[in-house]
Amino acid sequence: MTIAILGGGAFGTALAISMGQDRPIMLWARDISHLAAHRESPRLAGVKLPENVTITAEIGAASQADIVLFATPMQSLATFVAQIDLPLTAKALVACCKGLDLASLKGPTDILASRWPDATPAILTGPSFATDIAHGLPTALTLACADEGVGTSLQGALSTSTLRLYRSTDVVGAELGGALKNVIAIAAGIVIGAGLGDSARAALMTRGFAELSRFALRMGARSETLMGLSGFGDLVLTCTSDQSRNFRHGLSLGAGAVPDPAQTVEGIATAEAVLKQAIRFGIVRQMPITAMVAKVTQGQIGVAEAVQNLMSRPLKEE
């Protein structure tokens, strides 16, 4: 199977490096000047793209691939797919982003399915950093596709010697686990940045996972998916490592510093989108951490007030 990756950012390039070790890969980016000149991403300095990777700025070439991976930020995915005119009927389309679209409240596979209804959407998600994948460090991800046959085919086609993919048909669970963990990671960063300690972070992660699970199960996810790589696994990684952009954003907020505006922080828009969904389904009272993250990141309340609001909630059973 031929594979095209749309998106020359850190994650798309890392996937091309891993998958291109032993198979041909087409990597598309809007600006290929640095990639073509140096065969490496400035975000992954020192890691060269394999010879099997063809770099192109001609997006039409993706229509020749059997599998197309969309490695674009979540909040730009809908605009991106609306702007490109590609005949992708009967192909497997794999989203490689995490979150909910703020405008439509859709997940990435729904956005792909709306644009190409005759294609088969899937999502690749789980605990991973681009630099780890690019350097060939062992990484395990979830490949979720509602069509079990296509999912099995994708699992074989996209796995590498260092990138192990576990298959699932629970697309909703895989999407929501990957989306909501970013919200909780911002909260975890706030806790550490504010000097509240590791015990507070552990409590936040535990209650955050309970909150994530309540919301995802209400949306139709399966509990075993949430306990897997795309849920619990990704939550642990992003809440405990400063490689996580969402965690670092929270860290800055908690410390009273100005977060880096150049960083893509998917958890900000996701918190707002999830809150809208929670209000729609009448479960907003069960989403206190998400609500506080949305208010803090939008500047509606300060960190001290958010902590006070969470700590003063009525006592209850676990």
Side-chain angles (χ1 to χ4, degrees), residues 13 17 38-41 44-49 131 133-136:
T13 304
I17 292 169
H38 304 282
R39 293 200 65 80
E40 69 176 41
S41 167
L44 299 169
V47 187
K48 298 292 185 181
L49 285 161
T131 183
I133 294 174
H135 281 91

Side-chain angles (χ1 to χ4, degrees), residues 47-314:
V47 187
K48 298 292 185 181
L49 285 161
E51 292 184 2
N52 287 327
V53 178
T54 300
I55 304 166
T56 182
E58 299 297 326
I59 200 165
S63 63
Q64 303 303 312
D66 300 302
I67 303 168
V68 182
L69 277 62
F70 290 79
T72 60
M74 182 64 223
Q75 297 309 316
S76 61
L77 179 62
T79 301
F80 176 66
V81 301
Q83 291 175 342
I84 60 176
D85 184 19
L86 284 175
L88 300 181
T89 299
K91 296 184 184 295
L93 311 181
V94 184
C96 302
C97 50
K98 301 171 183 179
L100 295 179
D101 180 68
L102 186 53
S104 66
L105 305 183
K106 290 181 178 180
T109 58
D110 278 347
I111 290 174
L112 295 179
S114 296
R115 180 67 177 83
W116 293 285
D118 295 322
T120 303
I123 184 166
L124 184 63
T125 183
S128 58
F129 291 132
T131 183
D132 291 347
I133 294 174
H135 281 91
L137 300 180
T139 304
L141 299 174
T142 296
L143 187 285
C145 181
D147 186 315
E148 189 168 7
V150 173
T152 301
S153 179
L154 287 171
Q155 182 184 34
L158 302 180
S159 293
T160 74
S161 60
T162 58
L163 189 61
R164 181 177 176 84
L165 306 187
Y166 286 82
R167 189 176 67 255
S168 173
T169 56
D170 183 11
V171 174
V172 172
E175 284 189 340
L176 291 180
L180 272 79
K181 62 88 187 179
N182 282 333
V183 179
I184 307 306
I186 292 175
I190 290 173
V191 165
I192 297 302
L196 303 180
D198 288 331
S199 297
R201 172 165 54 180
L204 184 284
M205 289 173 62
T206 305
R207 299 311 303 160
F209 183 70
E211 186 168 308
L212 178 160
S213 298
R214 283 194 296 268
F215 180 84
L217 292 172
R218 178 65 177 80
M219 299 298 115
R222 299 199 297 260
S223 59
E224 61 266 28
T225 306
L226 303 176
M227 285 298 301
L229 291 165
S230 59
F232 179 74
D234 214 354
L235 178 74
V236 170
L237 181 68
T238 52
C239 287
T240 58
S241 173
D242 60 9
Q243 287 193 64
S244 164
R245 295 187 300 269
N246 291 278
F247 178 79
R248 289 202 307 271
H249 188 85
L251 203 65
S252 296
L253 292 174
V258 178
D260 183 357
Q263 291 291 322
T264 299
V265 182
E266 296 286 15
I268 297 174
T270 298
E272 190 176 347
V274 168
L275 202 56
K276 288 181 178 179
Q277 287 280 54
I279 292 171
R280 175 184 295 179
F281 287 96
I283 56 173
V284 68
R285 294 194 178 205
Q286 300 175 42
M287 309 290 292
I289 297 173
T290 300
M292 292 305 153
V293 168
K295 290 178 180 178
V296 170
T297 54
Q298 293 169 32
Q300 296 177 3
I301 63 173
V303 170
E305 184 180 352
V307 172
Q308 176 61 29
N309 287 345
L310 288 175
M311 293 299 291
S312 62
R313 296 177 70 240

